[in-house]
Amino acid sequence: MNSNVEIAVRVVYFAMLRESTGTESETVRTASPTPREVYEKLRERYGWKLPAGVVRAAVNGAYAPMNTPLQEGDELAFIPPVAGG
């Protein structure tokens, strides 16, 4: 995929990420071709402290590696680690 071409992906947030963004989902236009790159850009925007290495990604409802290629219209969910108690 050409990294200069923007695509629209629906990003869904869970737990602390949802709280920090103030929304459960948003459509993001991005030239970032993988969940890791999208996460890093959103991390800068929202000031998240969690590194990408501890967050799980799901693409279109299935867990996926952070280097999975994204396509126009994909749903991308970011799931932070859950603290037990």
Side-chain angles (χ1 to χ4, degrees):
M1 178 177 176
N2 182 343
S3 63
N4 294 326
V5 175
E6 283 195 349
I7 59 171
V9 294
R10 181 172 177 258
V11 181
V12 180
Y13 305 108
F14 291 92
M16 65 181 64
L17 300 180
R18 181 186 310 177
E19 293 168 13
S20 68
T21 61
T23 187
E24 80 176 37
S25 68
E26 66 180 315
T27 298
V28 174
R29 292 208 55 83
T30 181
S32 302
T34 66
R36 179 177 302 278
E37 291 182 43
V38 172
Y39 182 83
E40 290 299 344
K41 290 196 181 302
L42 292 171
R43 185 178 177 210
E44 288 177 25
R45 179 189 304 171
Y46 293 116
W48 296 335
K49 303 291 185 227
L50 290 175
V54 301
V55 175
R56 299 229 24 214
V59 177
N60 299 324
Y63 285 115
M66 288 293 259
N67 63 351
T68 300
L70 296 172
Q71 298 180 20
E72 176 75 27
D74 279 348
E75 180 181 271
L76 172 60
F78 289 119
I79 305 145
V82 178

